[in-house]
Amino acid sequence: MKVLYRQGIVSILLLCIWVSTHASNWVFNNPYPASEENKKIFYSSFNEQPKTLDPARAYSSNEYQFIMQIYEPLLHYDYFARPYRLAPLTAVAMPEVRYLDKLNHVINNNDNSEVAFSVYTLRIKPDIWFQPHPALAKDKEGHYRYLQLSKYYLDENNINQLSDFEYTGTRELKVDDYIYQIKRLANPGVNSPIYGLMSERILGFREFASLLPANPKKRDFIDLRNYTMKGLRKIDDYSFEITLKGQYTQFMFWLAMPFFSPIPWEADRFYSQRGMDIKNLDFGWYPIGTGPFMLSENNPNRRMVLAKNPQFRQDYFPANGNQNDERKGYLLHAGERLPLIDQAIYTLEKESIPRWNKFLQGYYDSSTVSAESFDQVIELSPSGVPKLTPSMQTKELRLTQATEHNLYYLGFNMLDKVVGGDSERARKLRLAISIAVNYDEYIAIFLNGRGKAAQGPIPPEIFGAKKGAAGINPYVYYWDEGKPRRRPITEARALMREAGYPGGRNPETGKALILNYDVPMTGGPDEKAQFDWMRKQFSRIGIDLNVLATQYNRFQDKVRNGNTQIFHWGWLADYPDPENFLFMFYGPNGRVKHGGENATNYNNPNYDRLFNLMKNRSNDAERQRLIDQIVELLRHEAPWVWGINSEALILTQQWVSPTKPNTINLGSLKYVSVDVKKRNELRRLWNKPVLWPLGLLFLLLLFFLVPLFMAYRSKEKKKARRIKL
């Protein structure tokens, strides 16, 4: 018995040694199947389900994350150029534009007073094909297989998702597909968010909508090919024209957005059939594009999968980068066929901590830096520049800092009797508040330094914004030793006295001036602290701030009706042009009177004159001169406290190729490459199981249990002998 015991112990020890020797190749926490291990797959996550993937309706970043890999508008943004520059995508070249007067005569100048129509001529590349899709499937006789389905076809054939259809097909892209999509934008049944804007711009857009059936049934197919829009003219299969009313040079930027992606009429017909909507078989769930990827799995409650489009045309990684781009590794794959990966898998992660832990384990290839992980990842240099902590440097992570093209601000309702209007009293009150609200401090406390205090209405990297001493707001900052410094609070208090509020006292009541601050509730953990911080800023100049936090819909109603005094809001750029920011101060865009985006209701005839001179010019010296005058006027009158230009900090694993950040064009997945071999090696290294504690525990159990078992067996044998005797 003792011999058996010793042999058992030796066997167990040998087993433990074998396990510990081979455990380095075991990974128990890998969330992906072994079949994916050697494939060129990019792994990432998303935290909010997209509402729709229909390019006529989608208008948010979490939706663009997917559809801009699938759809291809006519134009896009040059991968390397900064400031951002438009370039042809499916178009052969940039659109040709000619201007017409009221008699349709071509005019050579761009004087707004003479331009009645702008005609854009566009030519697309041949040999571009749609991704495989059942809507394009044909039989041997050339008839569409699935455009005339019987009433019960879907149920009889157990079809619940797009992949359940047996056949798929493809065809070449024609300009008819772009024309069809523009008509979809005008279809009231589609309810595109840019219907209002385009109805004011594209000739015949609104009239086209009136031609369509007034009250169609939900799934009735309206063949838009049978209706004519005056502003659209097909020249041939690869050329067409779009005519705008007047002059609107920013239309070029819209041609780079998914709204102007091609849609085949067959897909519209296919999705309009009976029963499709019940099974979520529509544009919102199953897009059909010509881009580098196609949606192969749509499960927004778990994961979204993009697969390489087998019909994608010949497209190559650009090679027009500069020396700085080459130094940062952005030209590593110059000249290679796109896309560089075969698949992208996005997993739903609503909580930031699990998402971050999986990134550290190597199971996500990229991650943003959240507030929860900031201290673990980032340390700030004495000059405030973020860099990786030593623990993150050992993982050789890549940190990319990208300026986002947005602006968060405090707005003054210029219709208000206290803070609004063009009086010197109100202007100095607004400037005093502008100095008192220290957004540099806010960025340090609540954003971990991820951003910069805005100096005016135009964010960095947009034409018109200036750098250095020439770019600061001199009413709030002064330039000292190579950096902007906020003016002291004593200057704000002096402005309060000049405005008639010495010490922040209202001369009518003798008490502290009370101002109302409207802000949408977010429910975030820092919300109360942010409100308290804002009250503190106003109290520095003697003002009592009454915080009115409401649900976002209620907040919008108050701004829309002019029932605010001071409010907090933001603006995200639709396109990288100064007009997209400066139009928010244009009088005819006033929110209360005209329902426009001028939420402060700022109205200044001189501003409007300068804006009209600036808006349609090319980015030349004269446009810069006009912008300088506009910015000076706005800084002087201070309809906003300019707030924050936020920055994104993005981490990528060392096996992911360096990718130049672009916060305007989200369709950059085709430029991403992964080193699969290195990823597999590091995943195993970072996720080695620690098994010796389990082995030790097992040995301790054996040490105590085996003697007990042996004693029990010995006792049983003695009993057996007594019974035999």
Side-chain angles (χ1 to χ4, degrees), residues 156-175:
E156 289 173 350
N157 291 272
N158 196 29
I159 291 177
N160 297 298
Q161 54 191 3
L162 204 66
S163 59
D164 291 334
F165 287 92
E166 183 178 358
Y167 299 99
T168 61
T170 183
R171 68 164 173 80
E172 190 182 11
L173 171 71
K174 301 294 177 64
V175 296

Side-chain angles (χ1 to χ4, degrees), residues 130-201:
F130 281 102
Q131 66 185 56
H133 194 280
L136 303 178
K138 292 184 178 181
D139 59 23
K140 294 180 180 179
E141 287 74 38
H143 301 129
Y144 288 103
R145 291 181 179 272
Y146 301 121
L147 298 191
Q148 298 288 340
L149 300 181
S150 63
K151 187 175 182 180
Y152 302 107
Y153 182 89
L154 299 180
D155 291 331
E156 289 173 350
N157 291 272
N158 196 29
I159 291 177
N160 297 298
Q161 54 191 3
L162 204 66
S163 59
D164 291 334
F165 287 92
E166 183 178 358
Y167 299 99
T168 61
T170 183
R171 68 164 173 80
E172 190 182 11
L173 171 71
K174 301 294 177 64
V175 296
D176 301 275
D177 303 309
Y178 283 103
I179 291 173
Y180 197 88
Q181 169 68 351
I182 295 173
K183 291 179 177 180
R184 288 188 72 234
L185 298 177
N187 184 356
V190 173
N191 194 26
S192 174
I194 66 168
Y195 173 89
L197 175 65
M198 291 303 143
S199 66
E200 298 296 326
R201 301 297 183 181

Side-chain angles (χ1 to χ4, degrees), residues 5 31 50 100 138 207 269 298 356 432 538 544 607 613 619 639 650 655 660 703 724:
Y5 175 62
L100 309 177
K138 292 184 178 181
E207 293 77 9
R269 175 72 182 89
N298 184 1
W356 173 245
F538 279 76
D544 280 351
Y607 179 92
L613 291 172
N619 290 338
I650 304 165
W655 55 76
K660 191 162 187 174
F703 182 79
K724 287 180 180 180

Side-chain angles (χ1 to χ4, degrees), residues 511-708:
K511 298 180 180 179
L513 176 65
I514 300 175
L515 297 179
N516 295 318
Y517 170 56
D518 280 279
V519 59
M521 290 191 299
T522 64
D526 293 333
E527 189 171 64
K528 183 180 182 302
Q530 290 170 357
F531 294 162
D532 291 340
W533 179 88
M534 190 62 75
R535 290 190 187 96
K536 178 183 176 182
Q537 304 307 299
F538 279 76
S539 69
R540 294 166 65 198
I541 51 176
I543 297 175
D544 280 351
L545 190 67
N546 182 27
V547 176
L548 302 173
T550 56
Q551 295 294 334
Y552 188 59
N553 289 340
R554 172 63 180 149
F555 170 81
Q556 287 181 300
D557 287 339
K558 295 181 75 173
V559 174
R560 187 181 302 115
N561 296 321
N563 295 328
T564 62
Q565 198 167 39
I566 304 172
F567 59 91
H568 171 81
W569 219 351
W571 180 256
L572 307 179
D574 287 314
Y575 43 84
D577 188 80
E579 181 269 351
N580 194 231
F581 292 90
L582 298 180
F583 85 128
M584 288 187 286
F585 304 94
Y586 185 53
N589 286 340
R591 179 62 59 94
V592 172
K593 292 183 179 179
H594 307 287
E597 295 296 343
N598 180 355
T600 61
N601 305 292
Y602 178 72
N603 189 16
N604 184 318
N606 187 33
Y607 179 92
D608 295 347
R609 178 185 65 82
L610 292 169
F611 177 81
N612 283 322
L613 291 172
M614 177 281 307
K615 65 179 182 179
N616 287 322
R617 290 194 66 89
S618 58
N619 290 338
D620 56 10
E622 177 60 18
R623 195 184 203 204
Q624 182 66 64
R625 188 184 69 81
L626 291 168
I627 290 173
D628 290 344
Q629 293 182 53
I630 287 171
V631 171
E632 166 57 26
L633 182 60
L634 290 175
R635 287 171 173 168
H636 178 264
E637 299 204 340
W640 287 5
V641 177
W642 299 108
I644 301 167
N645 299 130
S646 63
E647 295 178 343
L649 297 178
I650 304 165
L651 290 173
T652 49
Q653 303 283 9
Q654 58 179 284
W655 55 76
V656 179
S657 61
T659 306
K660 191 162 187 174
N662 188 325
T663 58
I664 291 290
N665 179 17
L666 300 181
S668 58
L669 182 62
K670 65 182 180 181
Y671 302 115
V672 175
S673 174
V674 293
D675 185 334
V676 177
K677 182 180 178 181
K678 179 180 284 189
R679 178 169 62 189
N680 290 340
E681 291 173 354
L682 291 174
R683 277 183 179 175
R684 283 192 285 267
L685 178 65
W686 294 348
N687 295 279
K688 280 184 178 180
V690 181
L691 299 177
W692 68 263
L694 293 176
L696 179 61
L697 179 62
F698 187 57
L699 286 174
L700 288 173
L701 288 172
L702 286 176
F703 182 79
F704 289 106
L705 292 178
V706 171
L708 292 174

